[in-house]
Amino acid sequence: MVILFAANDYFEYGKATEGFPIYLHRVTAALAKFGHSPIIVACGRTDKHYVEDGVEVYIVHFTAKNMSMKCISMGCWAYNGSRAINKKIKEIIKVRKVELIQFTSLQGLAACYYGNVPAVMRLSSYAKIYYASYRTLGKSEVMVLAFFERLAAARCNAVFAPCKNTADDFGKDIGRQVSVIETPFVNDVAVYDKSIFENRLQGKKYVLFFGTLIAEKGVLVIADILQRFLKGHPDYYVVCCGKDARIAGKNAVGILRNAVGQFGSQFIYLKQQPHEKLYPIIQKADFVILPSLVENLSNACIEAMYFERVVIGTDGVSYEQLIDDGISGLLCKPNDADSLLEKMNEAASMSETQKKKIGEMAKKRIDRLAPDVVVRKLLRFYQYVIDNVNK
């Protein structure tokens, strides 16, 4: 089966380090391994075409004017991006028989799709829910993105999401059922690079947060507990690893450094790392905190559970889809620093035997996300859509 993946972004150099490109790399690699022919068409900095690990990739460059109003600029970028991607799709379809197109919901990429090839949309997030705090994007910008996401869904024959909560919320707004197909996980790192761990963290007992440092990932909740946790646990360090971002005009790392106060020597910030450097850091963490305000089945949670770490995630925002509280991890209340601190104290007081038991249960849950399970479910979904469109 030839399956075309339309994406607003894909890594052009090195390896994927962010959520959606990581997903795209894993699912296309699995499809190629199963004997299918995946094609990726993604927005990028330059026009290029290459084949890597059995996956054909087209990078499409486009331009759009920046307007004085951010929401109008965002709309222009979404529209022009959709036009550029769908123009390339039309060119490919003229010379290749493509059975199905999978669009990402990001930036409403299917908004300009009017083709006859069956199309599905994967709900990578829903702006109306994901940015509901309006700390990263303003209300008008969120409304524009959500509009394009709903318009894109109308152009597709079916919609699916990795997270039940997101599927339900989006389904209500578009008046259609949204299927749930979880994110596949495979550890595709053959050789680990322990240099960052050995240079910065060797011999330290630490709590780890990793991911993009935005308000929606719970950065401000973490800032609120830093001094209280470190005061009660002077033998611990708090490590944050990920891409710095701005929250209310301030750098997230700066917010955390100010919040840690007198315990500054026990706070360590590491920049975003590729998996071969990140995984040794995860493996040695005493436990992991991911207090997101909203999620769509967190890659970070999946990776930490795979390495048998005790993960503290937020209840009600999709972590409960992966974590059984007290059995395969811990769940705290959303946007509640006291609840996060309580769970951190609980994790810090666990014996090594307790942590090991929870870690083993976490790994068992992630084993259910193996490509042999999840990608084969995705293929059945594709076939159902194709069969029903061709009736």
Side-chain angles (χ1 to χ4, degrees), residues 182-200:
E182 293 182 338
T183 303
F185 176 80
V186 60
N187 182 359
D188 52 5
V189 178
V191 179
Y192 296 157
D193 179 347
K194 297 181 180 180
S195 58
I196 300 292
F197 170 76
E198 290 175 348
N199 291 335
R200 302 289 303 276

Side-chain angles (χ1 to χ4, degrees), residues 234-339:
D235 55 331
Y236 274 88
Y237 289 77
V238 174
V239 177
C240 287
C241 181
K243 184 178 179 180
D244 194 8
R246 295 184 73 77
I247 301 174
K250 298 179 180 178
N251 285 345
V253 174
I255 292 171
L256 292 168
R257 289 197 193 284
N258 287 334
V260 80
Q262 62 182 313
F263 302 101
S265 63
Q266 290 169 256
F267 173 77
I268 298 172
Y269 168 64
L270 303 173
K271 293 180 180 179
Q272 188 178 44
Q273 302 295 329
H275 279 139
E276 61 265 25
K277 293 184 179 181
L278 175 63
Y279 283 174
I281 296 169
I282 298 172
Q283 284 179 304
K284 297 298 183 179
D286 194 60
F287 59 93
V288 174
I289 54 171
L290 300 170
S292 304
L293 309 184
V294 62
E295 270 295 350
N296 193 35
L297 211 67
S298 161
N299 278 320
C301 183
I302 290 169
E303 288 165 350
M305 291 176 72
Y306 171 82
F307 286 112
E308 301 187 10
R309 298 301 87 197
V310 174
V311 177
I312 302 173
T314 314
D315 196 9
V317 304
S318 84
Y319 287 103
E320 72 282 356
Q321 193 170 320
L322 295 168
I323 294 173
D324 191 355
D325 189 31
I327 297 173
S328 55
L330 300 173
L331 295 171
C332 63
K333 296 175 184 176
N335 202 20
D336 188 327
D338 290 336
S339 178

Side-chain angles (χ1 to χ4, degrees), residues 161-217:
C163 163
K164 185 179 184 302
N165 295 345
T166 308
D168 290 345
D169 289 334
F170 192 70
K172 287 175 187 175
D173 283 3
I174 64 171
R176 292 166 62 189
Q177 181 180 352
V178 176
S179 300
V180 177
I181 302 174
E182 293 182 338
T183 303
F185 176 80
V186 60
N187 182 359
D188 52 5
V189 178
V191 179
Y192 296 157
D193 179 347
K194 297 181 180 180
S195 58
I196 300 292
F197 170 76
E198 290 175 348
N199 291 335
R200 302 289 303 276
L201 303 174
Q202 185 82 52
K204 294 180 172 69
K205 187 177 184 180
Y206 59 91
V207 180
L208 175 66
F209 165 87
F210 63 104
T212 305
L213 276 70
I214 55 176
E216 287 76 14
K217 295 292 185 183

Side-chain angles (χ1 to χ4, degrees), residues 64-137:
K65 290 183 179 179
N66 285 319
M67 305 296 184
S68 56
M69 292 181 65
K70 285 185 178 179
C71 62
I72 296 176
S73 284
M74 197 162 279
C76 287
W77 276 97
Y79 175 71
N80 282 284
S82 179
R83 256 185 32 167
I85 287 294
N86 283 287
K87 180 182 177 183
K88 177 56 71 175
I89 288 173
K90 283 180 74 174
E91 293 173 6
I92 294 169
I93 288 173
K94 283 181 181 178
V95 296
R96 297 282 298 275
K97 185 184 179 190
V98 175
E99 276 90 349
L100 182 130
I101 302 169
Q102 178 175 313
F103 287 93
T104 178
S105 63
L106 297 170
Q107 296 181 10
L109 215 56
C112 296
Y113 177 67
Y114 296 96
N116 296 319
V117 176
V120 301
M121 186 175 88
R122 179 185 183 264
L123 200 59
S124 297
S125 67
Y126 183 23
K128 177 183 170 183
I129 305 300
Y130 194 84
Y131 296 111
S133 68
Y134 305 128
R135 286 169 170 161
T136 299
L137 296 177

